[in-house]
């Protein structure tokens, strides 16, 4: 007889193709089967926690998706997305009657990508504009399209087509007197020619004999102003009469004023120089006044201005015509389309500055109605330098989203599947760039490749990690000493192993993602010797678990650092991952139904794994939302939770439980005060046998946890063992807090290792065992010396090591 000690199971279930590769180092830490056990970071295996029934989906026949929403301060929500709706849950159950309409059909839900900032979840995908989902209160939620500013845009037009606007966005008419053609102009010095500052021509208008004064315009009707441009006098280079400190004030009655903009240090003006200023304002006022305190040059006399041009808020403008001279350069020569409504157009005015329009409606292939944003145009001349918006129903919308250096990054439209757009720093909806580029401006980058590599996902790191169908690339600084921005950006390849659309998992500084077909998992980590990131497969020795293609994944960091995955057939795979300790343990899980989605959420004592499970209950297909429970970690044995789709009662002693219609007709286990009782749910009720009562009862579906050791090592001490008959005839199993465990072999009786012993308290379940279980087992010669370990019912089971004896034929 020989003995085989297995002191660790850290590699989990091994691919069947490797069952006889005993020369591999990992062979000593692997299993032939590992189902409903999880491999632990310290080497053992533990029965997984069961699941708690939370509720049935709104449309149980159609399915859906789960998206976590972590508001902080202990406020954690799970969002149930279905066909055109979402509902809200906490670990206590559904939140009120929240049921919000969304633009997402059922078939696009798995492809959605999302990131969160405080109370807002940003979502891309589904062929619709990016959405902002906001929480306003516990029962008040809203989802609406994000409102973007100034882009992003396609490349600059190179066709002969020009665009001509019919208006300039300036609500002040070309004045010919202080009161004509409309409104009224006045100045602090009572000038009769104050109107010249609004006549749209170069010049010089003096408003004060000293350094302080004001000029004002009164609209006939209240107007929302959110920007203005100032021009210096045409002789300003001689005496610098322009003010260099001022406020812009607004009023509804001409007597009570509020400040809407303040400027200081605006000195050294050149003759006829223009400067632009913008401020946030959503209120319509009748009076707007520029009030300055420092002007008139070094002598502080004759303070003067060349021109003032106001800009009316784009959202409050009356839409005007933008006419193209032809269709060349517009949608591949097809001209404007109805699907262009809402699209942006960037337009360079005659002063060399860019503004942007938003299309309100289409009138013809060469005509659209627009509103102007940013600043007003100096004139309505036609221009051939323009750019169409990159995002629209015509060109497609970004399919993925991520964070990078305090920017919100988007990528992958239908027309530009390899393009990345990053917002301005700390301004997540603004894609503008300055007249002279600033480091905080928006960034646009393209993935350079000889083939179309559709961008699948974005992950924030020191660089922006970009997963494409053919490779993983990084977008970051071109030169390390300068700040990241539009003039300091570079992209480079990291690995030529492509990715599928499943969002990757980041564990510490390591990124784990799934291959282009979802049939393998790879890790990307920085390697100092290579001076870059390198990729290696972490699923090669468990590739059988990935053959159906991974459909999704999430990460439960605490307590066991497990990546939970599910494949296209509804089977779930757990992956215990602790790279520093070389723990790469795979394990299969059967939840009694098809797992269609899993998502992680912070919980009270550990990270929670929520799931949608498709079950057949009483002959009917139902989809339930369930939460995996934390495995037993000591304490009262009756508190263990190892049944699936379960509900718990705790209170006065009772014999029966009701309200179990969601398990109607199912064989269940009643785990009552630490003992198991089988029952069947009928009429939504179950009862303990023989009139027994209990104060703590867990009712749910039984879970069989099963582990099977590998064949006895081929290179046995007395020669090759492959092909020789052998059997296990004894076993010593080290366990911790274990209340149920059987051992044996295939197709034979499994011996119960946990039972009453002399001295155990009567009238109570056998206590949990810790230590060495030493017992003979009944096996056959044909079993090849493999040992099967099994746990069922409601009690916990943790196995630390196995030492079992073998008899082999000569």
């Amino acid at each position: 007889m020989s003995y085989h000690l297995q002191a660790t199971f850290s590699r989990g279930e091994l691919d069947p193709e490797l069952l006889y590769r005993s020369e591999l180092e990992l062979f000593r830490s692997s299993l032939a089967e590992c189902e409903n056990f999880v491999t632990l970071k310290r080497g053992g295996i533990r029965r997984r926690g069961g699941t708690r029934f939370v509720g049935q989906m709104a449309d149980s026949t159609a399915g859906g998706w789960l998206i976590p929403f972590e508001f902080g301060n202990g406020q954690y929500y799970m969002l149930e997305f279905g066909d055109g709706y979402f509902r809200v849950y906490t670990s206590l159950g559904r939140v009120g009657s929240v049921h919000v309409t969304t633009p997402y059909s059922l078939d696009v839900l798995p492809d959605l990508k999302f990131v969160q900032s405080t109370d807002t979840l940003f979502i891309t995908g589904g062929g619709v504009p990016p959405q902002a989902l906001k929480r306003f209160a516990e029962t008040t939620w809203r989802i609406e399209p994000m409102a973007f500013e100034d882009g992003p845009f396609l490349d600059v037009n190179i066709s002969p087509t020009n665009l001509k606007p019919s208006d300039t966005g300036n609500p002040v008419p070309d004045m010919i007197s202080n009161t004509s053609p409309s409104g009224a102009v006045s100045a602090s010095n009572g000038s009769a020619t104050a109107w010249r500052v609004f006549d749209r021509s170069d010049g010089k208008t003096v408003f004060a004999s000293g350094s302080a004064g004001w000029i004002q315009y009164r609209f006939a009707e209240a107007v929302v102003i959110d920007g203005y441009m100032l021009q210096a006098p045409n002789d300003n280079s001689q005496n610098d009469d322009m003010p260099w400190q001022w406020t812009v004030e607004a009023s509804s009655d001409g007597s009570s004023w509020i400040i809407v903009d303040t400027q200081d240090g605006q000195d050294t003006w050149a003759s006829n120089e223009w400067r632009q200023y913008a401020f946030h304002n959503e209120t319509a006022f009748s009076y707007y006044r520029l009030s300055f305190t420092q002007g008139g040059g070094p002598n502080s006399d004759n303070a003067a201005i060349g021109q003032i041009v106001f800009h009316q808020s784009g959202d409050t403008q009356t839409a005007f015509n933008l006419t193209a001279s032809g269709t060349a350069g517009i949608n591949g020569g097809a001209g404007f389309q109805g699907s262009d409504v809402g699209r942006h157009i960037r337009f360079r005015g005659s002063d060399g500055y860019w503004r942007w329009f938003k299309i309100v409606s289409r009138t013809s292939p060469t005509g659209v109605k627009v509103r102007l944003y940013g600043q007003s145009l100096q004139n309505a001349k036609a221009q051939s330098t323009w750019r169409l918006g990159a995002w629209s129903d015509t060109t497609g919308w970004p399919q993925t989203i991520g964070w990078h250096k305090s920017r919100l990054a988007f990528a992958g439209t239908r027309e530009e599947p390899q393009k990345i757009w990053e917002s301005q720093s700390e301004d997540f909806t603004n894609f503008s760039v300055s007249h002279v580029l600033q480091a905080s401006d928006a960034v646009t980058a393209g993935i350079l490749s000889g083939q179309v590599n559709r961008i699948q996902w974005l992950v924030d790191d020191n660089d922006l990690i970009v997963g494409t169908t053919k490779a993983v690339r990084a977008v970051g600084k071109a030169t390390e000493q300068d700040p990241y921005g539009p003039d300091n950006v570079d992209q480079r390849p990291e690995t030529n192993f492509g990715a599928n659309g499943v969002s990757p998992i980041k564990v510490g500084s390591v990124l784990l993602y799934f291959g282009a077909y979802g049939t393998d998992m790879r890790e990307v980590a920085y390697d100092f010797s290579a001076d870059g990131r390198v990729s290696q497969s972490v699923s090669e020795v468990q590739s059988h678990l990935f053959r159906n293609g991974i459909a999704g994944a999430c990460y439960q960091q605490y307590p066991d650092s497990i990546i939970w995955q599910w494949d296209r057939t509804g089977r779930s795979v757990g992956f215990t991952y602790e790279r520093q300790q070389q723990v790469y343990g795979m394990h299969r899980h059967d939840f009694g139904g098809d797992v269609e989605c899993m998502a992680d959420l912070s919980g009270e004592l550990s990270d929670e794994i929520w799931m949608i499970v498709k079950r057949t209950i009483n002959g009917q297909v139902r989809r339930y939302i369930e939460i995996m429970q934390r495995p037993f970690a000591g304490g009262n044995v009756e508190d263990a939770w190892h049944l699936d789709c379960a509900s718990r009662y705790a209170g006065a002693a009772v014999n029966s439980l009701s309200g179990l219609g969601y398990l109607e007709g199912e064989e269940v286990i009643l785990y009552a005060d630490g003992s198991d009782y089988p029952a069947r749910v009928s009429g939504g009720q179950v009862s303990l046998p023989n009139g027994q009562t209990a104060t703590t009862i867990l009712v749910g579906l039984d879970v069989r946890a099963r582990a099977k050791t590998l064949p006895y090592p081929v290179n046995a001490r007395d020669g090759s063992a492959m092909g020789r008959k052998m059997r296990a005839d004894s076993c010593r199993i080290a366990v911790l807090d274990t209340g149920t465990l059987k051992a044996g072999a295939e197709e034979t009786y499994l011996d119960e290792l946990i039972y009453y012993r002399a001295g155990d308290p009567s009238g109570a379940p056998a206590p949990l065992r810790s230590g060495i279980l030493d017992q003979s087992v009944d096996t056959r010669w044909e079993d090849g010396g493999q040992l099967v370990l099994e746990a069922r019912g409601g009690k916990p089971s943790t196995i630390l090591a196995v030492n079992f004896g073998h008899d082999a034929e000569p």
Side-chain angles (χ1 to χ4, degrees):
M1 177 183 295
S2 60
Y3 290 88
H4 177 61
L5 172 65
Q6 184 159 356
T8 177
F9 310 95
S10 60
R11 295 306 295 256
E13 184 170 307
L14 196 63
D15 193 298
E17 294 182 6
L18 301 175
L19 289 185
Y20 296 98
R21 293 290 305 277
S22 58
E23 84 282 2
L24 298 175
E25 180 64 28
L26 59 85
F27 195 87
R28 297 178 59 85
S29 56
S30 301
L31 292 163
E33 295 180 23
C34 187
E35 182 181 45
N36 292 326
F37 278 111
V38 299
T39 61
L40 303 178
K41 292 183 289 185
R42 288 167 293 278
I45 56 174
R46 179 174 59 200
R47 193 178 182 196
R48 71 161 169 85
T51 68
R52 176 164 63 86
F53 173 77
V54 176
Q56 187 169 336
M57 294 195 67
D59 186 353
S60 199
T61 65
W65 207 252
L66 298 174
I67 296 180
F69 188 101
E70 301 199 356
F71 184 61
N73 297 323
Q75 300 178 73
Y76 304 116
Y77 303 91
M78 187 61 72
L79 308 183
E80 170 204 333
F81 274 72
D83 193 6
Y85 76 90
F86 78 83
R87 305 196 301 178
V88 182
Y89 292 83
T90 69
S91 59
L92 299 177
R94 188 178 170 199
V95 175
S97 58
V98 177
H99 189 107
V100 180
T101 300
T102 76
Y104 302 118
S105 60
L106 182 65
D107 59 312
V108 305
L109 296 179
D111 300 322
L112 299 182
K113 300 295 190 298
F114 51 89
V115 295
Q116 187 172 347
S117 175
T118 60
D119 61 352
T120 303
L121 190 74
F122 301 110
I123 309 174
T124 58
V128 301
Q131 303 285 308
L133 187 156
K134 298 183 179 181
R135 173 197 181 275
F136 295 92
E138 185 80 2
T139 58
T140 306
W141 300 69
R142 185 187 309 157
I143 186 171
E144 57 191 6
M146 296 178 66
F148 296 102
E149 300 177 42
D150 202 3
F153 298 98
L154 301 176
D155 293 336
V156 176
N157 168 58
I158 57 173
S159 76
T161 300
N162 62 60
L163 301 180
K164 178 175 174 51
S166 64
D167 201 349
T168 64
N170 182 1
V172 180
D174 296 354
M175 299 299 289
I176 57 176
S177 76
N178 279 356
T179 56
S180 295
S182 67
V185 183
S186 57
S188 55
N189 64 353
S191 172
T193 60
W195 58 272
R196 293 188 182 278
V197 80
F198 295 107
D199 69 354
R200 307 270 183 100
S201 60
D202 298 343
K204 179 177 181 177
T205 304
V206 176
F207 300 115
S209 57
S211 61
W214 52 265
I215 184 167
Q216 168 184 304
Y217 184 84
R218 175 180 59 81
F219 289 96
E221 295 181 353
V223 175
V224 180
I225 299 296
D226 64 0
Y228 58 102
M229 297 187 295
L230 296 183
Q231 185 187 34
N234 54 7
D235 66 349
N236 204 59
S237 61
Q238 300 174 14
N239 53 31
D240 197 18
D241 288 336
M242 274 292 290
W244 58 268
Q245 183 184 73
W246 67 80
T247 59
V248 175
E249 302 164 349
S251 174
S252 297
D253 55 12
S255 59
S256 298
W257 297 87
I258 66 168
I259 295 174
V260 294
D261 187 51
T262 300
Q263 297 294 330
D264 193 5
Q266 299 294 314
D267 53 1
T268 63
W269 290 77
S271 293
N272 291 327
E273 178 186 353
W274 284 95
R275 296 185 187 179
Q276 301 180 355
Y277 307 92
F279 54 88
H280 180 76
N281 176 38
E282 297 179 356
T283 305
F285 295 97
S286 298
Y287 296 81
Y288 289 89
R289 179 170 72 185
L290 186 142
S291 179
F292 55 91
T293 56
Q294 298 292 333
N299 297 324
S300 298
D301 61 352
N302 298 322
I305 291 177
Q307 291 188 67
I308 300 176
V309 177
F310 286 126
H311 175 261
Q312 182 178 356
S313 166
D315 291 338
T316 65
Q317 290 176 14
T318 299
F320 54 89
N321 291 321
L322 183 67
T323 304
S325 61
T327 60
I330 303 175
N331 294 326
F336 292 114
Q337 307 294 306
S339 54
D340 287 328
V341 172
R343 193 175 184 181
H344 296 181
I345 300 176
R346 204 160 199 246
F347 182 88
R348 193 173 73 174
S350 57
D351 58 0
Y353 286 90
W354 291 89
R355 283 82 164 175
W356 62 283
F357 300 106
K358 182 184 291 185
I359 299 175
V360 175
S361 63
R362 172 190 180 267
T363 56
S364 72
T366 57
V368 288
K369 293 278 190 181
V370 298
R371 294 190 176 103
L372 176 65
Y373 293 79
Q375 293 289 350
S376 295
L377 293 164
Q378 291 188 12
N379 54 58
K381 295 179 180 179
Q383 300 288 338
S384 60
T385 305
W386 47 268
R387 306 173 69 181
L388 288 176
W391 305 346
S392 66
D393 287 339
T394 304
T395 55
W397 298 96
Q399 296 300 297
T400 190
I401 189 171
W403 295 114
H404 184 222
K405 296 188 180 297
S406 301
R407 304 168 187 266
L408 196 54
F410 299 83
T413 64
R414 183 174 60 250
E415 186 162 309
E416 295 186 297
Q418 298 182 189
K419 191 66 70 69
I420 300 166
W421 302 271
E422 298 183 38
S423 71
Q424 286 200 350
S425 181
E426 303 288 353
D427 194 351
F428 306 145
T429 59
N430 190 337
F431 287 84
S432 65
V433 292
S434 306
H435 186 66
V436 177
L437 287 179
Q438 306 292 323
S440 60
D441 285 346
V443 174
T444 300
I447 295 300
L448 305 178
S449 174
Q451 53 190 335
V452 176
N453 290 349
R454 171 171 289 279
I455 295 173
Q456 303 278 38
W457 42 256
L458 304 173
V459 173
D460 188 23
D461 201 18
N462 185 43
D463 295 324
L464 179 66
I465 309 302
V466 183
T468 76
T469 52
K470 299 295 183 182
V472 173
R473 306 181 77 89
V475 174
K477 294 180 180 180
T479 57
E480 196 60 36
Q481 63 271 24
D482 297 321
Y484 180 75
D487 58 352
N488 185 33
V489 58
D490 184 34
Q491 63 91 25
R492 57 189 176 276
E494 297 291 342
T495 170
N496 61 355
F497 293 98
N500 72 353
V502 175
S503 296
I505 305 294
K506 192 173 183 183
V507 182
S509 60
V510 179
L511 187 71
L512 294 113
Y513 72 96
F514 300 94
Y517 301 101
T519 54
D520 65 320
M521 177 189 282
R522 307 192 66 85
E523 68 174 10
V524 177
Y526 186 84
D527 184 88
F528 286 97
S529 62
D531 192 24
R533 296 177 180 87
V534 296
S535 173
Q536 69 173 4
S537 173
V538 294
S539 62
E540 189 63 32
V541 297
Q542 294 105 355
S543 59
H544 65 298
L545 300 177
F546 293 78
R547 286 172 185 158
N548 294 319
I550 297 300
C554 62
Y555 177 50
Q556 185 182 31
Q557 184 178 37
Y558 187 81
D560 294 315
S561 186
I562 298 176
I563 297 170
W564 293 95
Q565 310 144 71
W566 67 99
D567 65 20
R568 301 184 186 111
T569 67
R571 185 177 64 173
S572 179
V573 179
F575 177 35
T576 306
Y577 180 76
E578 186 66 48
R579 190 169 188 262
Q580 289 74 16
Q581 303 300 322
Q582 295 296 300
V583 177
Y584 299 87
M586 298 279 187
H587 27 96
R588 292 180 290 117
H589 296 274
D590 181 1
F591 290 93
D594 295 337
V595 175
E596 296 184 335
C597 183
M598 305 177 92
D600 60 282
L601 188 69
S602 297
E604 183 178 355
L605 299 175
S606 66
D607 296 336
E608 296 177 345
I609 297 298
W610 291 56
M611 59 184 70
I612 295 174
V613 184
K614 176 184 174 184
R615 300 186 182 277
T616 301
I617 303 295
N618 204 26
Q620 301 294 318
V621 172
R622 298 181 182 178
R623 286 177 170 86
Y624 293 155
I625 296 175
E626 303 174 28
I627 305 176
M628 193 185 306
Q629 299 300 287
R630 185 178 182 183
F632 184 77
N636 298 323
V637 65
E638 59 268 26
D639 294 332
W641 196 309
H642 294 283
L643 305 178
D644 280 347
C645 200
S647 296
R648 170 174 279 168
Y649 167 83
V654 295
N655 168 256
S656 62
L657 297 177
S658 58
L660 298 170
Y662 73 93
L663 289 175
E664 183 65 31
E666 294 299 303
E667 294 283 352
V668 297
I669 295 294
L670 279 68
Y671 182 58
D673 287 347
S675 296
D676 293 330
Y677 301 92
R680 181 184 294 273
V681 179
S682 178
Q685 292 185 323
V686 290
S687 300
L688 291 168
N690 304 319
Q692 295 182 74
T693 61
T695 59
T696 301
I697 306 175
L698 183 69
V699 183
L701 303 174
D702 195 10
V703 177
R704 185 191 72 166
R706 172 185 167 91
K708 185 177 182 181
T709 62
L710 289 166
Y712 192 68
V714 171
N715 54 345
R717 211 178 310 172
D718 57 346
S720 175
M722 188 172 69
R724 296 166 63 184
K725 292 183 178 181
M726 62 180 66
R727 66 185 182 90
D729 62 0
S730 65
C731 64
R732 296 179 178 88
I733 303 175
V735 298
L736 177 67
D737 290 336
T738 294
T740 176
L741 184 62
K742 293 182 179 182
E746 295 283 10
E747 300 179 6
T748 64
Y749 178 82
L750 293 178
D751 294 294
E752 178 63 69
L753 305 186
I754 307 295
Y755 47 81
Y756 278 102
R757 299 176 183 174
D760 288 342
S762 61
L768 300 181
R769 306 297 185 191
S770 295
I772 307 298
L773 304 178
D774 188 355
Q775 186 169 323
S776 298
V777 291
D778 184 17
T779 63
R780 305 179 309 163
W781 288 100
E782 292 79 7
D783 293 326
Q786 292 175 267
L787 189 68
V788 173
L789 304 169
E790 186 176 292
R792 307 188 72 136
K795 297 179 181 180
S797 184
T798 300
I799 302 170
L800 305 179
V802 177
N803 187 14
F804 52 101
H806 292 87
D807 276 340
E809 67 177 1

